[in-house]
Amino acid sequence: MSLKKLYIFLLLVSIIPLAYSQTTTVEGFIKDKGTNEIVPFIHVFYKGTQIGTASDTAGYFKITISNDKIKEDSLVISSLGYNSLKVPFKRNQKQTITIEITAQFYQLQEFVVKPGENPAWAILRKVIANKEFNNPDNKTNYKCDEYSKIRFDLNHFTDKIKKNIVVRPFDFIWKNTDTTEDGITYLPVLLVEKVIQHYHQKSPKEQKDYVNGIKTVGFPGPNIVKFVDDLYFTPNFYDNYVTILDKSFPSPLNDNYKFNYKFYLTDSSGIGNTKTYKITFIPKQKRELAFTGEMYIDSTNYALKDITVRFDIMANVNFVRSFWINQKYDRVQGNHSMLTESNVIGDFTVIENSSDLTGFFGRKNAKFSNYTIDSVLPKKIFKGADIVVESDSSKTKTEEYWQEHRAIEFSKEDKGLVKMSDSLVKDPRFILRKKIAAAIGSGYYPVGAIDIGDFYSFYSYNNIENSRFKLGLRTNENFKSPVSLSTYLAYGTLDQKWKYKLSSEITIGETKHKIGASYRYDIDQLSRSFNNIELDHILSSFVQIGSSPASKNYVKDFNLYYENIWSSGFVTRLNYFYNNITPVKDVLFNYINPNGILENPSDFSASGLDLTLKFSHLNKKINGNFYNKRDHKNAFRKYPDVTFQWKIADKNLGSQLDFQKMRLSFKQQIRLQKLGYIKYYIETGKTFNTVPYPYLDLPYANQLVVMDEYAFNLMNFLEYASDEYISAHIEHHIEGLLLDRIPLINKLKWRNFIFAKGYYGNLSSKNNNKIYLFPKDLNKLNDPYYEVGFGIENIFKIARVDFIWRLTDINKPDVYYFIVKPSFKFAF
């Protein structure tokens, strides 16, 4: 080997260890110091940086950093509910360490368990015995004022976020960045203030909230607003269960308090009969929907003085790393213990157990004051069905108003957010990005007062039109008029027909009264559910697994309606309708005339009136359509949703056919506390007189690979017909009650459910293929139709998979007796 080559070799050998020494790696496990159990999903990052990770389901973590990015030789271990910890490390080394962290509320090694009854139980028995008096909701009545401030902060963001194309041009927004005591960097992005007057009455039970002021600053995107809405709650821990993020948690003051928690009397301060008891509690079972926390009890009346609870990612609540609630109570008007302060902090994440810790802090701070208890309240206070009433001027309050009513002063970060928001909303680059985001979410791109779309139906493919092209326009909130307009135009390359729709609606009296009209010519599919993917959505081109040729028809629709919204959740609609149905190519309508001769009518038409009455308790998004995807979204309501429709087609109203239809539906979603929840949908109807098959009652079927919860997912389109029917769907969502108890599976945080669907239909002899003949494969249902199955949901937090069995007519050709179908939804 030459001297030159030897020199190069020695140089490379000397450089290799130096290169390896340019990074520092720390790995290890995190345990609870009190229980010695592993703790998953704890933030671990290098102090002074945002380089970090979260411990996985085994409590393990590993992070590597370049030495030039190290600012301090320590790691920060942080999570809501645990005391933050700084752990030193050595540079230029790979180290394995075990970290023990201490819960804020309890240290089990300090508890001394003595023989006999748990002393906390004796106190809790008296708390339970006095709940009737101490529960604020059991006062004859009360009123109070609330000021609340909710703020959302982007946290744990890195330089990668700053370089993102969405925010890259706006360097000035990072000037409002701050750091917590734990070293977590955060940026306030949204601030919402409210001033509310609360009224409560015990008997008859009434509640009313008058929102006198609302102020929003920052970036209220639709998803973050969902989180804001979910922070607008004030749980009453005197109730047996409290609902947080749509989940039912047993209260530590539950009448069966021993069933859910372990309690420890950790302190007793004061003299004589004026003591304050401190009781700490933890869930009896791991991965339960239950709290860890502490409460202070007044010995004079056994009322709450202070309570702090938390739950974390182990509770199987999506997108939540940790959630913390504190409430303070003071005596008001003598011996009444009333809530005076409520504070909430939620640490939300998009992707759990990810090396990218970026997420959001959601903070709510509220103060309650000016209580008046057991006075005479005017009856007009509770007038109207709406529980929450916003004043006309609530969103236009002056700065002087907010200075007077702001019970919690603005922090430096709050003021910085106001200044940043004022600059950003005027920036044309931000306005463009906001429009693009709106287009991705809704399918429509706003241009002034007009939206252009729907992008997801610009192009689609089907067997009638082959390639279909479509363009639509609609007015938006910038269209300063009580009139809203929408239209679209579509063209099919195979049938070479233009399709179109024109609609208009005028709102009178602040959304209470509406007059609307629409005219449409397009293709419809019989027995396709209102809840299914639109027929011309691009996805429909790929996910259909079968179809009856006769199920698709050309349809002309005209509707002219008057709608009255009597109160939130109650609406009526009177509608004049005209409907014309024409078969597609290669499909014929068959009719036997009074002389017994077979005819092939070119079309069928009906016109007349329909009246719809709909009740959906406190649902502000309700409208007068019998089926409406928007108000069929699942929600927990006090009463069932009820919808009734009566329709009459009469030759005196220009109809070719004479018939009447009636239908009635019930729908509800009910919490079963620790057993999850059930939801049901029941519909019944009847058609009077003789009608062609398109006007019979056709059960909703679904021949798409995606599951439709309102359809029979193993029934073919246009498989059955009836003129009187009853349909029932029921699902029991067990949440994580079973799967959370299975090792390894519980780490996935899946949830399971079971379901059953049934349809009983009858077809009178006059409608059974005698005058108006049926197409091939359409039949009367001889026996009740059933589908049953089970499923797993919360897969990757958004996916659900149904395993479905068909129990009726399983030997018919071209039917499946078993199938697996996915679907998608967002839920906590």
Side-chain angles (χ1 to χ4, degrees), residues 746-809:
N746 56 20
K747 296 178 181 180
L748 300 172
K749 299 178 71 173
W750 289 352
R751 304 165 186 168
N752 61 313
F753 59 91
I754 56 177
F755 63 87
K757 297 181 179 184
Y759 183 95
Y760 172 78
N762 182 53
L763 192 63
S764 61
S765 59
K766 60 187 176 184
N767 278 316
N768 191 8
N769 232 3
K770 288 188 176 179
I771 299 175
Y772 298 103
L773 304 186
F774 288 175
K776 181 185 176 183
D777 298 328
L778 178 62
N779 295 284
K780 174 185 177 180
L781 186 63
N782 295 313
D783 297 300
Y785 179 91
Y786 297 111
E787 288 181 3
V788 298
F790 70 92
I792 298 173
E793 58 187 347
N794 206 41
I795 303 170
F796 305 119
K797 312 307 171 198
I798 60 170
R800 157 179 166 159
V801 175
D802 288 50
F803 300 83
I804 310 166
W805 283 264
R806 171 173 170 154
L807 305 182
T808 306
D809 291 338

